[in-house]
Every structure is written in C-alpha cells, then in structure tokens.
Amino acid sequence: MKIMKRTYIIMAAVCLAFGLTACASKTSETEAAKTSSEQLPETEKEEGTEETREEAKTTAEAETEKEKKIVTGRVEAIEKTVVTISGQDGQEYQVELKDAKTKSDLEIGEGDEIQVVFMDDGEEVKVAGSYTIISSVALEGDMDPVLAGAITEVGADTITIETDGGSSYTFSTAIAQVVTGAGGLEVGGYVEITYLGRADEGTALRVITEEGSGKAEATYNILTGTLVSYTDATVTIQAADGSQFTFALDDYVVMEELELGAGDDVEITYEGSLTQQSAVAIDVG
C-alpha cells in the first residue's frame, strides 16, 4: 500500500511539472508578442492606413484638377497620332488621338474641322477620349460639310443646335432647303444641317429632320433665288440673303430654251459643293 501511495505521489508531481512548463511556455510567447508589438514605432503600425489615405487623397485631388473640355477647331498640323488644333476659342491645342473613340471612317487631314473631347490635366499634349470630324477637306470637293445635333432654338430665319459633343451652333436658314415632317422644326428634334464654308460662319444650305429624311426632296440639293446671268456653260443666281452663286451647267441644261431673264425666280437642283464652288446645276426651273 505504501508503495502504491508513493507511486501516485510521484506521478502527480510529474504531471504538475509538465503543466507548469506548458503554462510558462505559453505565457512567455504571449508576453513576447505583446512586447514586440509595443516596441513597434507608431508610424509603422499606422503605415498601411496612412499610405491608403494619402493615395486616396492624391487621386481625389488629381481628379478635381482635371477638367473635361470639348474643343472645336481646325487641324493645323499632324505628327503621327498627335494633331495640332487651332480652336475656335483662339487657343492652340496639341491632342493625342491614338486611343480616342470616333464614329468616322475618314483619316484626319490638315484643314479638317474636328471636335475633340479630353480631360485637361495641365499636360501640354492632351489625351483625347473621343473626336468627331465635322468637315473633311478630302470630301469638300464633292459635297458641303454636314453637322448633326438636337434643336435647342428655332427663330424666324435661324436654327440653333447642340451636337453630341455638347457644342452649340447657330445657323441662318434664310437660303436653306428645309425638309421636315408634319411636326416641322421643333425644339428637341434631331436634324442634319449641310452648311456653307465653316460651321462658325453659320449659313445653312440644307436642314433635314429625321422625319423629313425619308422624303424624295431630301435626296438632292436645291437652291432658290433670282437669275442674275447665264452663259452656255454657267448660270449665276442671287439667293434670298443677297449672296450670289455660280453653277456650272450640266450638258442636258440649255438656258436659252428656258426663256428666263435676269430677275426671274429660279430653282437650281445641283450636285457638288457650293463651298468649293464646284457645284453643277443638273436642273434649272
């Protein structure tokens, strides 16, 4: 009995020793971790948070400094994918078009009138998000430039539109061929305007609404006025605003057979460009 009792006492002592050792080890690890944490500098403990805050602040400030700009102007020079534009606001811009979106299939050329949208971040070369070719020198020999947009105002002889890019243009409609539907020219309606020369010069030659675009008269060009003079090869008329236009005559048009005299009202159906003075009268009535 004494032997067994002594054995139990020894075993209990051994277990107690192991327990104390484990507890001491665990306590040491906890104390070490706590000490290590306390020894870290405050800047290191907060470093991740502070960096994130600084990055967010910098990004916010950068975005605030950027300004979305829409610039319309004439292309003065092209160097690879960077174009130099003489803006209608009197400023000159260099714009990178490499990754810009566009609906045009035309190549930009010097002399073209374009509209670009970019974020102005203060850099010398602006990176365009999108651009639109308003008028192309490559096409002007065959047709007059065209601009489309939503009507914002209609006057007795004027129309103001806003393009998809947000720019506003006012055109005189005094000599324009206007083709509409039953609703006529209404604010909010979408129109396509063929104009003379430059968009900022404001002379509309044709105004076609979406509803009117399906009509036959929307498929050809008409200019009305009074007859000034004619020869075997040309005819000159004066439009309602006092402007004079000379057309080459198609081979099928013989003015002498029409028995018209100076001052008579005439309607010229033509092809080509009045802007480039390359229009050809295919019918005179």
Side-chain angles (χ1 to χ4, degrees):
M1 245 351 231
K2 289 181 179 180
I3 294 174
M4 289 182 64
K5 200 170 193 180
R6 189 179 294 122
T7 301
Y8 289 143
I9 292 171
I10 292 171
M11 289 178 65
V14 171
C15 288
L16 180 60
F18 275 115
L20 289 173
T21 302
C23 288
S25 176
K26 186 172 183 181
T27 302
S28 298
E29 290 176 1
T30 304
E31 289 297 326
K34 183 177 178 181
T35 301
S36 176
S37 175
E38 288 176 349
Q39 288 175 349
L40 285 174
E42 288 297 322
T43 53
E44 286 188 29
K45 287 192 285 185
E46 296 294 328
E47 184 176 359
T49 305
E50 289 300 322
E51 285 182 359
T52 303
R53 289 175 183 169
E54 285 300 321
E55 288 176 3
K57 183 179 178 182
T58 302
T59 302
E61 289 175 349
E63 290 299 324
T64 302
E65 290 175 359
K66 291 182 181 180
E67 178 188 358
K68 181 180 179 181
K69 295 199 70 171
I70 301 171
V71 173
T72 301
R74 190 164 293 265
V75 177
E76 301 295 341
I78 303 173
E79 186 175 347
K80 295 183 179 179
T81 57
V82 176
V83 299
T84 300
I85 303 170
S86 177
Q88 292 180 356
D89 58 2
Q91 302 295 315
E92 186 172 274
Y93 300 89
Q94 285 187 301
V95 185
E96 170 64 73
L97 301 181
K98 181 180 179 182
D99 298 319
K101 296 179 181 178
T102 184
K103 294 181 180 178
S104 177
D105 294 328
L106 295 172
E107 291 290 335
I108 292 177
E110 290 185 16
D112 286 358
E113 188 173 4
I114 70 172
Q115 185 175 86
V116 293
V117 180
F118 58 83
M119 297 300 293
D120 192 356
D121 54 5
E123 295 295 328
E124 183 178 355
V125 178
K126 319 299 181 185
V127 179
S130 63
Y131 71 89
T132 303
I133 299 178
I134 296 175
S135 63
S136 170
V137 171
L139 291 180
E140 284 182 351
D142 300 319
M143 63 184 73
D144 292 300
V146 177
L147 192 63
I151 300 174
T152 58
E153 187 177 344
V154 179
D157 287 317
T158 61
I159 184 171
T160 301
I161 66 171
E162 183 176 301
T163 65
D164 294 338
S167 293
S168 181
Y169 295 91
T170 297
F171 294 91
S172 166
T173 55
I175 67 172
Q177 170 194 1
V178 180
V179 184
T180 70
L185 297 175
E186 297 180 320
V187 172
Y190 204 76
V191 293
E192 187 176 87
I193 296 178
T194 303
Y195 58 92
L196 184 68
R198 294 171 56 116
D200 55 355
E201 291 173 348
T203 301
L205 296 173
R206 285 167 32 102
V207 179
I208 313 294
T209 67
E210 284 187 304
E211 192 176 356
S213 63
K215 294 187 175 182
E217 56 262 44
T219 62
Y220 45 82
N221 305 312
I222 293 177
L223 184 66
T224 60
T226 57
L227 180 63
V228 174
S229 62
Y230 66 84
T231 67
D232 291 341
T234 65
V235 59
T236 300
I237 69 170
Q238 180 171 296
D241 65 351
S243 301
Q244 291 192 4
F245 298 92
T246 298
F247 300 82
L249 290 173
D250 185 84
D251 293 339
Y252 295 99
V253 180
V254 181
M255 291 298 298
E256 291 182 354
E257 294 179 355
L258 300 176
E259 299 182 351
L260 293 171
D264 287 347
D265 292 335
V266 291
E267 180 180 272
I268 307 287
T269 302
Y270 67 93
E271 296 176 341
S273 170
L274 291 177
T275 299
Q276 295 298 309
Q277 300 180 8
S278 61
V280 177
I282 59 175
D283 188 36
V284 179

